Amino acid sequence: MAISLFTSILLFLLQVCFSDDEKKVVKSSYWFFDSAYPLSNIGSTFYTHLLCAQAFVDPNTFQLNISNSKTAQPSYDLSIARGIADDSALSSMASNASTRKTFIDSSITIGRSYNFHGLDLDWEFPSTTTDMTNLGLLFKEWREAVEKESKNSNKPQLLLTAAVYYSSVFCSLSYPAEATENNLDWINVMAFDFGAPTWKPNLTEAPAALYNQFSEVSGDSGISSWIQAGFLARKIVFGLPYYGYAWKLKDANNHGFLAPANGPDITVDGALEFRVVTKKLVQFIAQNITITAFNSMLVSDYCYNGTTWIGYDDVQSIYTKVTYAKGKGSLGYFSWQIDLDYNWTLSKLNRLKLMNLSFSNIFVLVSRFLNSLL
C-alpha cells in the first residue's frame, strides 16, 4: 500500500513539474516569413512560441502591413518592426493618440485574421525622452484595446510582448518600466550584440557575455538593471544569439578575448560576412584546423584559425545562460533566430536543461514528502 501510494504521488509530482515547464516557461525563437527554413521542419517540442518576423508599420498610414500573409500560421506570434522606408515610422506612429489607435486597431485585425496568438513589438530603439513616454502610452492603450476586443469577440486576449534593449536604460534614456510591466505579458531582453568588429574593430570581444569584469555591459548587468527598475523577473525572457562575429587578429599568436584586431574578418567560409551564424560556424570548425575555447568568467566561446577569430555562444555558454535565467526566476528564453541553429543542437540542449531542472524539483518535493511521513 505504501509503495502504491508513493508511486501515485511520484507520478503526480512528475505531471505537475513537467506541466509547469511546458505551460509556464517561455521557450521562443524568431523566424522570418521568407526564411528558407520551412515551418514544417521546426521541432514543435523545442519551442512554446515562434515570433514570426516581420510585419512593418506603414510610415504614411501607420497601419500594420504583413510581408507575406500566405506563410502566417496559427499558434504563433507576430513580430512588428519599424517601417521599411522610414526608420522613424514607429516614433511617428506613437507620437499621438490618433495614430497609435490606427496602429493598434490594424495590429489586432491582422492578429485575428491570421490566427496569431500574440503581437511582439521590436522597436530598436526609442531614441528620445518623448519616444519613451509615448512607448508607455502605446503599451497602455494597446492593452486596453486587446482586453476590449477579447470581451467583444469572446476569444482569449492576444499576448502583447516587446523586444527591448539589454538594459532598462538606453543611451541615458529610461524605458517606461512600470507601464511596460503593467501592460505587457513579457519582454524579450536582447542580451547580445555587445561587441562586433564594425563598431569595436580594434579588440576581439565577447558578443553576448553573461558577465564581464572588463565592462559594465553584460547580460547579467542588463537583467539586474531591469529588475532594479522594478520590473518583475517572471516577466523577463532572456535572449540567446545563434550567431557570432568574426574579427581579423593582428597577431595569430595573441588570440584570447580583448586581443588586438584589424576589424572584421570577411573571409569566413568564403562568404563576405563577419556575422557568422551557427550553421556556418560548425562547418568552419569542421573544415579547418580550428582551436575552440570557453571562457567561464565571461560565459562566452571563441575559436580561431590563423588570424581568423570568432566570438560566439556554443553549447556550454547556452547551457549556462539557460541555467542563469532559470535561477533568476525569469519566464524563459528566446533565440535569434531559429533557422541559424545547426541540426537543432542548441534547441535540444535548452529543452534538456529545463527537463533536468524539473527532475531536480521532483527530488526536492519527494524528499519533503518522505520527511513529512517520518
Side-chain angles (χ1 to χ4, degrees), residues 158-205:
L158 289 166
L159 294 170
L160 294 181
T161 67
V164 297
Y165 192 54
Y166 87 98
S167 169
S168 66
V169 178
F170 172 73
C171 293
S172 301
L173 301 171
S174 295
Y175 273 87
E178 183 178 0
T180 303
E181 183 192 46
N182 288 343
N183 297 293
L184 297 188
D185 291 282
W186 68 78
I187 55 172
N188 296 311
V189 176
M190 294 184 283
F192 43 76
D193 286 348
F194 300 149
T198 48
W199 64 83
K200 293 187 177 181
N202 299 322
L203 294 173
T204 60
E205 292 270 357

CSV table of all heavy atoms in Angstrom, one decimal, residues 158-205:
chain,number,residue,atom,x,y,z
A,158,LEU,N,-5.1,38.5,-27.0
A,158,LEU,CA,-3.8,38.4,-27.7
A,158,LEU,C,-2.7,38.7,-26.7
A,158,LEU,O,-2.8,39.6,-25.9
A,158,LEU,CB,-3.8,39.4,-28.9
A,158,LEU,CG,-4.7,39.1,-30.1
A,158,LEU,CD1,-4.8,40.3,-31.0
A,158,LEU,CD2,-4.1,37.9,-30.8
A,159,LEU,N,-1.7,37.9,-26.8
A,159,LEU,CA,-0.5,38.2,-26.0
A,159,LEU,C,0.2,39.5,-26.5
A,159,LEU,O,0.2,39.8,-27.7
A,159,LEU,CB,0.5,37.1,-26.1
A,159,LEU,CG,0.1,35.7,-25.5
A,159,LEU,CD1,1.2,34.7,-25.9
A,159,LEU,CD2,0.1,35.8,-24.0
A,160,LEU,N,0.7,40.3,-25.6
A,160,LEU,CA,1.5,41.5,-26.0
A,160,LEU,C,2.9,41.4,-25.4
A,160,LEU,O,3.0,41.3,-24.2
A,160,LEU,CB,0.8,42.8,-25.5
A,160,LEU,CG,-0.6,43.1,-26.1
A,160,LEU,CD1,-1.1,44.4,-25.5
A,160,LEU,CD2,-0.5,43.2,-27.6
A,161,THR,N,3.9,41.4,-26.3
A,161,THR,CA,5.3,41.4,-25.8
A,161,THR,C,6.1,42.4,-26.6
A,161,THR,O,5.6,43.0,-27.6
A,161,THR,CB,5.9,40.0,-26.1
A,161,THR,OG1,6.0,39.7,-27.5
A,161,THR,CG2,5.0,38.9,-25.4
A,162,ALA,N,7.3,42.6,-26.2
A,162,ALA,CA,8.2,43.5,-26.9
A,162,ALA,C,9.7,43.1,-26.8
A,162,ALA,O,10.1,42.6,-25.7
A,162,ALA,CB,8.0,45.0,-26.3
A,163,ALA,N,10.4,43.3,-27.8
A,163,ALA,CA,11.9,43.1,-27.8
A,163,ALA,C,12.5,44.4,-27.3
A,163,ALA,O,12.1,45.5,-27.8
A,163,ALA,CB,12.4,42.8,-29.2
A,164,VAL,N,13.3,44.4,-26.3
A,164,VAL,CA,13.9,45.6,-25.7
A,164,VAL,C,15.4,45.5,-25.6
A,164,VAL,O,16.0,44.4,-25.7
A,164,VAL,CB,13.2,45.8,-24.3
A,164,VAL,CG1,11.7,46.1,-24.4
A,164,VAL,CG2,13.5,44.7,-23.3
A,165,TYR,N,16.0,46.6,-25.3
A,165,TYR,CA,17.4,46.7,-25.1
A,165,TYR,C,17.8,45.8,-23.9
A,165,TYR,O,17.0,45.6,-23.1
A,165,TYR,CB,17.8,48.2,-24.8
A,165,TYR,CG,19.2,48.6,-24.9
A,165,TYR,CD1,20.0,48.3,-26.0
A,165,TYR,CD2,19.8,49.3,-23.8
A,165,TYR,CE1,21.3,48.6,-26.0
A,165,TYR,CE2,21.1,49.6,-23.8
A,165,TYR,CZ,21.9,49.3,-24.9
A,165,TYR,OH,23.2,49.7,-24.9
A,166,TYR,N,19.1,45.4,-23.9
A,166,TYR,CA,19.5,44.5,-22.8
A,166,TYR,C,19.3,45.2,-21.4
A,166,TYR,O,19.2,44.5,-20.4
A,166,TYR,CB,21.0,44.1,-23.0
A,166,TYR,CG,22.0,45.1,-22.5
A,166,TYR,CD1,22.6,44.8,-21.2
A,166,TYR,CD2,22.3,46.3,-23.1
A,166,TYR,CE1,23.5,45.7,-20.7
A,166,TYR,CE2,23.2,47.1,-22.6
A,166,TYR,CZ,23.8,46.8,-21.3
A,166,TYR,OH,24.7,47.7,-20.8
A,167,SER,N,19.4,46.5,-21.4
A,167,SER,CA,19.3,47.2,-20.1
A,167,SER,C,18.0,48.1,-20.1
A,167,SER,O,17.4,48.4,-21.2
A,167,SER,CB,20.5,48.1,-19.9
A,167,SER,OG,20.3,49.0,-18.9
A,168,SER,N,17.5,48.4,-18.9
A,168,SER,CA,16.3,49.3,-18.8
A,168,SER,C,16.7,50.7,-19.2
A,168,SER,O,15.8,51.6,-19.2
A,168,SER,CB,15.8,49.2,-17.4
A,168,SER,OG,16.7,49.8,-16.5
A,169,VAL,N,17.9,51.0,-19.4
A,169,VAL,CA,18.4,52.4,-19.8
A,169,VAL,C,19.1,52.3,-21.1
A,169,VAL,O,20.1,51.5,-21.3
A,169,VAL,CB,19.3,53.0,-18.8
A,169,VAL,CG1,19.8,54.4,-19.2
A,169,VAL,CG2,18.6,53.1,-17.4
A,170,PHE,N,18.6,53.0,-22.1
A,170,PHE,CA,19.2,53.1,-23.5
A,170,PHE,C,19.7,54.5,-23.7
A,170,PHE,O,19.0,55.4,-23.8
A,170,PHE,CB,18.2,52.7,-24.5
A,170,PHE,CG,18.7,52.8,-25.9
A,170,PHE,CD1,19.7,52.0,-26.5
A,170,PHE,CD2,18.3,53.9,-26.7
A,170,PHE,CE1,20.2,52.2,-27.8
A,170,PHE,CE2,18.7,54.1,-28.0
A,170,PHE,CZ,19.7,53.2,-28.5
A,171,CYS,N,21.1,54.6,-23.9
A,171,CYS,CA,21.7,55.9,-24.1
A,171,CYS,C,21.1,57.0,-23.2
A,171,CYS,O,20.7,58.1,-23.6
A,171,CYS,CB,21.4,56.4,-25.6
A,171,CYS,SG,22.2,55.3,-26.8
A,172,SER,N,21.2,56.7,-21.9
A,172,SER,CA,20.8,57.6,-20.8
A,172,SER,C,19.3,57.8,-20.7
A,172,SER,O,18.8,58.6,-19.9
A,172,SER,CB,21.5,58.9,-20.9
A,172,SER,OG,22.9,58.8,-20.8
A,173,LEU,N,18.5,57.1,-21.6
A,173,LEU,CA,17.0,57.2,-21.5
A,173,LEU,C,16.4,55.9,-20.9
A,173,LEU,O,16.7,54.8,-21.3
A,173,LEU,CB,16.5,57.3,-23.0
A,173,LEU,CG,17.0,58.5,-23.8
A,173,LEU,CD1,16.5,58.3,-25.2
A,173,LEU,CD2,16.5,59.8,-23.2
A,174,SER,N,15.6,56.2,-19.9
A,174,SER,CA,15.0,55.0,-19.2
A,174,SER,C,13.7,54.6,-19.9
A,174,SER,O,12.8,55.4,-20.3
A,174,SER,CB,14.6,55.5,-17.7
A,174,SER,OG,15.8,55.7,-17.0
A,175,TYR,N,13.6,53.3,-20.0
A,175,TYR,CA,12.3,52.7,-20.5
A,175,TYR,C,11.2,53.0,-19.5
A,175,TYR,O,11.5,53.1,-18.3
A,175,TYR,CB,12.5,51.2,-20.7
A,175,TYR,CG,13.0,50.7,-22.0
A,175,TYR,CD1,14.4,50.6,-22.2
A,175,TYR,CD2,12.2,50.4,-23.1
A,175,TYR,CE1,14.9,50.2,-23.4
A,175,TYR,CE2,12.6,50.0,-24.3
A,175,TYR,CZ,14.0,49.8,-24.5
A,175,TYR,OH,14.5,49.4,-25.7
A,176,PRO,N,10.0,53.1,-20.0
A,176,PRO,CA,8.8,53.2,-19.1
A,176,PRO,C,8.6,51.9,-18.4
A,176,PRO,O,7.6,51.1,-18.8
A,176,PRO,CB,7.7,53.7,-20.0
A,176,PRO,CG,8.0,53.1,-21.3
A,176,PRO,CD,9.5,53.1,-21.4
A,177,ALA,N,9.4,51.5,-17.4
A,177,ALA,CA,9.3,50.2,-16.8
A,177,ALA,C,8.0,49.8,-16.2
A,177,ALA,O,7.4,48.7,-16.4
A,177,ALA,CB,10.4,50.0,-15.8
A,178,GLU,N,7.3,50.8,-15.5
A,178,GLU,CA,6.1,50.5,-14.9
A,178,GLU,C,5.0,50.2,-15.9
A,178,GLU,O,4.2,49.2,-15.8
A,178,GLU,CB,5.7,51.6,-14.0
A,178,GLU,CG,4.4,51.4,-13.2
A,178,GLU,CD,4.0,52.5,-12.3
A,178,GLU,OE1,4.8,53.5,-12.2
A,178,GLU,OE2,3.0,52.4,-11.6
A,179,ALA,N,4.9,51.1,-16.9
A,179,ALA,CA,3.9,50.9,-18.0
A,179,ALA,C,4.1,49.6,-18.8
A,179,ALA,O,3.2,48.9,-19.2
A,179,ALA,CB,3.9,52.1,-18.9
A,180,THR,N,5.4,49.3,-19.0
A,180,THR,CA,5.8,48.1,-19.7
A,180,THR,C,5.3,46.9,-18.9
A,180,THR,O,4.7,45.9,-19.5
A,180,THR,CB,7.3,48.1,-20.0
A,180,THR,OG1,7.7,49.2,-20.7
A,180,THR,CG2,7.7,46.8,-20.8
A,181,GLU,N,5.7,46.8,-17.7
A,181,GLU,CA,5.3,45.7,-16.8
A,181,GLU,C,3.8,45.5,-16.7
A,181,GLU,O,3.2,44.4,-16.7
A,181,GLU,CB,5.9,45.8,-15.5
A,181,GLU,CG,5.7,44.6,-14.6
A,181,GLU,CD,6.1,44.8,-13.1
A,181,GLU,OE1,5.7,45.9,-12.6
A,181,GLU,OE2,6.7,43.9,-12.6
A,182,ASN,N,3.1,46.6,-16.5
A,182,ASN,CA,1.7,46.6,-16.3
A,182,ASN,C,0.9,46.1,-17.5
A,182,ASN,O,-0.2,45.6,-17.3
A,182,ASN,CB,1.1,48.0,-15.8
A,182,ASN,CG,1.6,48.3,-14.4
A,182,ASN,OD1,2.0,47.5,-13.6
A,182,ASN,ND2,1.5,49.6,-14.1
A,183,ASN,N,1.4,46.3,-18.7
A,183,ASN,CA,0.6,46.1,-19.9
A,183,ASN,C,1.1,45.1,-20.8
A,183,ASN,O,0.4,44.7,-21.7
A,183,ASN,CB,0.5,47.5,-20.6
A,183,ASN,CG,-0.2,48.5,-19.8
A,183,ASN,OD1,-1.4,48.4,-19.5
A,183,ASN,ND2,0.5,49.5,-19.3
A,184,LEU,N,2.3,44.6,-20.6
A,184,LEU,CA,2.9,43.5,-21.5
A,184,LEU,C,2.9,42.2,-20.7
A,184,LEU,O,3.0,42.1,-19.5
A,184,LEU,CB,4.3,43.8,-22.0
A,184,LEU,CG,4.5,45.1,-22.9
A,184,LEU,CD1,5.9,45.1,-23.4
A,184,LEU,CD2,3.5,45.1,-24.0
A,185,ASP,N,2.7,41.1,-21.5
A,185,ASP,CA,2.8,39.8,-20.9
A,185,ASP,C,4.3,39.4,-20.5
A,185,ASP,O,4.5,38.8,-19.5
A,185,ASP,CB,2.2,38.7,-21.8
A,185,ASP,CG,0.7,38.9,-22.0
A,185,ASP,OD1,0.0,38.4,-21.0
A,185,ASP,OD2,0.3,39.4,-23.0
A,186,TRP,N,5.2,39.9,-21.3
A,186,TRP,CA,6.6,39.8,-21.0
A,186,TRP,C,7.4,40.6,-22.0
A,186,TRP,O,6.9,41.1,-23.0
A,186,TRP,CB,7.1,38.3,-21.1
A,186,TRP,CG,7.1,37.6,-22.4
A,186,TRP,CD1,8.1,37.8,-23.4
A,186,TRP,CD2,6.2,36.7,-22.9
A,186,TRP,NE1,7.8,37.0,-24.5
A,186,TRP,CE2,6.7,36.3,-24.2
A,186,TRP,CE3,5.0,36.1,-22.4
A,186,TRP,CZ2,6.0,35.4,-25.0
A,186,TRP,CZ3,4.3,35.2,-23.2
A,186,TRP,CH2,4.8,34.8,-24.4
A,187,ILE,N,8.7,40.8,-21.7
A,187,ILE,CA,9.7,41.4,-22.6
A,187,ILE,C,10.8,40.5,-23.0
A,187,ILE,O,11.2,39.6,-22.2
A,187,ILE,CB,10.3,42.7,-21.9
A,187,ILE,CG1,11.0,42.3,-20.6
A,187,ILE,CG2,9.3,43.8,-21.7
A,187,ILE,CD1,11.8,43.5,-20.0
A,188,ASN,N,11.2,40.6,-24.2
A,188,ASN,CA,12.3,39.8,-24.8
A,188,ASN,C,13.6,40.7,-24.7
A,188,ASN,O,13.8,41.6,-25.5
A,188,ASN,CB,12.0,39.4,-26.2
A,188,ASN,CG,10.8,38.5,-26.3
A,188,ASN,OD1,10.7,37.5,-25.6
A,188,ASN,ND2,9.9,38.8,-27.2
A,189,VAL,N,14.4,40.4,-23.7
A,189,VAL,CA,15.6,41.2,-23.4
A,189,VAL,C,16.7,40.7,-24.4
A,189,VAL,O,17.2,39.6,-24.3
A,189,VAL,CB,16.0,41.1,-22.0
A,189,VAL,CG1,17.3,41.8,-21.7
A,189,VAL,CG2,14.9,41.6,-21.0
A,190,MET,N,17.2,41.6,-25.2
A,190,MET,CA,18.2,41.3,-26.2
A,190,MET,C,19.6,41.4,-25.6
A,190,MET,O,20.3,42.3,-25.7
A,190,MET,CB,18.1,42.2,-27.4
A,190,MET,CG,16.8,42.0,-28.2
A,190,MET,SD,16.6,43.0,-29.7
A,190,MET,CE,16.2,44.6,-29.0
A,191,ALA,N,20.0,40.3,-24.9
A,191,ALA,CA,21.2,40.2,-24.2
A,191,ALA,C,22.3,39.7,-25.1
A,191,ALA,O,23.0,38.8,-24.9
A,191,ALA,CB,21.1,39.3,-23.0
A,192,PHE,N,22.5,40.5,-26.2
A,192,PHE,CA,23.6,40.1,-27.2
A,192,PHE,C,23.9,41.4,-28.0
A,192,PHE,O,23.4,42.5,-27.8
A,192,PHE,CB,23.1,39.0,-28.1
A,192,PHE,CG,21.7,39.1,-28.6
A,192,PHE,CD1,21.3,39.9,-29.6
A,192,PHE,CD2,20.7,38.2,-28.0
A,192,PHE,CE1,20.0,40.0,-30.1
A,192,PHE,CE2,19.4,38.3,-28.5
A,192,PHE,CZ,19.0,39.2,-29.5
A,193,ASP,N,24.8,41.2,-29.0
A,193,ASP,CA,25.4,42.3,-29.8
A,193,ASP,C,26.1,43.3,-28.9
A,193,ASP,O,26.0,44.6,-29.1
A,193,ASP,CB,24.3,43.0,-30.6
A,193,ASP,CG,23.8,42.1,-31.8
A,193,ASP,OD1,24.5,41.2,-32.1
A,193,ASP,OD2,22.8,42.4,-32.4
A,194,PHE,N,26.8,42.9,-27.9
A,194,PHE,CA,27.6,43.8,-27.1
A,194,PHE,C,28.9,44.2,-27.7
A,194,PHE,O,29.5,45.2,-27.4
A,194,PHE,CB,27.9,43.1,-25.7
A,194,PHE,CG,26.7,42.7,-24.9
A,194,PHE,CD1,26.7,41.6,-24.1
A,194,PHE,CD2,25.5,43.4,-25.0
A,194,PHE,CE1,25.6,41.2,-23.4
A,194,PHE,CE2,24.4,43.1,-24.3
A,194,PHE,CZ,24.4,42.0,-23.5
A,195,GLY,N,29.4,43.4,-28.6
A,195,GLY,CA,30.6,43.8,-29.3
A,195,GLY,C,30.6,43.2,-30.7
A,195,GLY,O,30.2,42.0,-30.9
A,196,ALA,N,31.0,43.9,-31.7
A,196,ALA,CA,31.1,43.5,-33.1
A,196,ALA,C,32.2,44.2,-33.8
A,196,ALA,O,32.5,45.4,-33.4
A,196,ALA,CB,29.7,43.7,-33.8
A,197,PRO,N,32.8,43.6,-34.8
A,197,PRO,CA,34.0,44.2,-35.4
A,197,PRO,C,33.7,45.5,-36.2
A,197,PRO,O,34.7,46.3,-36.5
A,197,PRO,CB,34.5,43.1,-36.3
A,197,PRO,CG,33.4,42.3,-36.6
A,197,PRO,CD,32.5,42.3,-35.3
A,198,THR,N,32.5,45.8,-36.5
A,198,THR,CA,32.2,47.0,-37.2
A,198,THR,C,32.2,48.2,-36.3
A,198,THR,O,32.6,49.3,-36.7
A,198,THR,CB,30.8,47.0,-37.9
A,198,THR,OG1,29.8,46.5,-36.9
A,198,THR,CG2,30.8,46.1,-39.1
A,199,TRP,N,31.8,48.1,-35.0
A,199,TRP,CA,31.9,49.2,-34.1
A,199,TRP,C,32.9,49.1,-33.0
A,199,TRP,O,33.2,50.0,-32.3
A,199,TRP,CB,30.5,49.5,-33.5
A,199,TRP,CG,29.9,48.5,-32.6
A,199,TRP,CD1,30.1,48.3,-31.3
A,199,TRP,CD2,28.9,47.5,-33.0
A,199,TRP,NE1,29.4,47.2,-30.8
A,199,TRP,CE2,28.6,46.7,-31.8
A,199,TRP,CE3,28.2,47.2,-34.2
A,199,TRP,CZ2,27.7,45.7,-31.8
A,199,TRP,CZ3,27.3,46.2,-34.2
A,199,TRP,CH2,27.0,45.5,-33.0
A,200,LYS,N,33.5,47.9,-32.9
A,200,LYS,CA,34.7,47.7,-32.0
A,200,LYS,C,35.7,46.9,-32.7
A,200,LYS,O,36.0,45.7,-32.5
A,200,LYS,CB,34.2,47.0,-30.7
A,200,LYS,CG,33.3,47.8,-29.8
A,200,LYS,CD,33.0,47.0,-28.5
A,200,LYS,CE,32.2,47.9,-27.6
A,200,LYS,NZ,31.9,47.2,-26.3
A,201,PRO,N,36.4,47.6,-33.7
A,201,PRO,CA,37.3,46.9,-34.6
A,201,PRO,C,38.7,46.5,-34.0
A,201,PRO,O,39.3,45.6,-34.6
A,201,PRO,CB,37.4,47.8,-35.8
A,201,PRO,CG,37.3,49.2,-35.1
A,201,PRO,CD,36.3,49.0,-34.0
A,202,ASN,N,39.1,47.2,-33.0
A,202,ASN,CA,40.5,47.0,-32.6
A,202,ASN,C,40.8,45.9,-31.6
A,202,ASN,O,41.9,45.6,-31.4
A,202,ASN,CB,41.0,48.4,-32.0
A,202,ASN,CG,40.9,49.5,-33.0
A,202,ASN,OD1,41.2,49.3,-34.1
A,202,ASN,ND2,40.5,50.7,-32.5
A,203,LEU,N,39.7,45.4,-30.9
A,203,LEU,CA,39.9,44.3,-30.0
A,203,LEU,C,38.8,43.3,-30.1
A,203,LEU,O,37.6,43.6,-30.4
A,203,LEU,CB,39.8,44.9,-28.5
A,203,LEU,CG,40.9,45.8,-28.0
A,203,LEU,CD1,40.5,46.4,-26.7
A,203,LEU,CD2,42.3,45.1,-28.0
A,204,THR,N,39.2,42.0,-30.0
A,204,THR,CA,38.2,41.0,-30.0
A,204,THR,C,37.3,41.1,-28.8
A,204,THR,O,37.7,41.5,-27.7
A,204,THR,CB,38.8,39.6,-30.0
A,204,THR,OG1,39.6,39.4,-28.8
A,204,THR,CG2,39.7,39.4,-31.2
A,205,GLU,N,36.0,40.7,-29.0
A,205,GLU,CA,35.0,40.9,-27.9
A,205,GLU,C,34.2,39.6,-27.7
A,205,GLU,O,34.1,38.8,-28.6
A,205,GLU,CB,34.1,42.1,-28.2
A,205,GLU,CG,34.7,43.4,-28.2
A,205,GLU,CD,34.7,44.1,-26.9
A,205,GLU,OE1,34.0,43.5,-26.0
A,205,GLU,OE2,35.2,45.2,-26.8
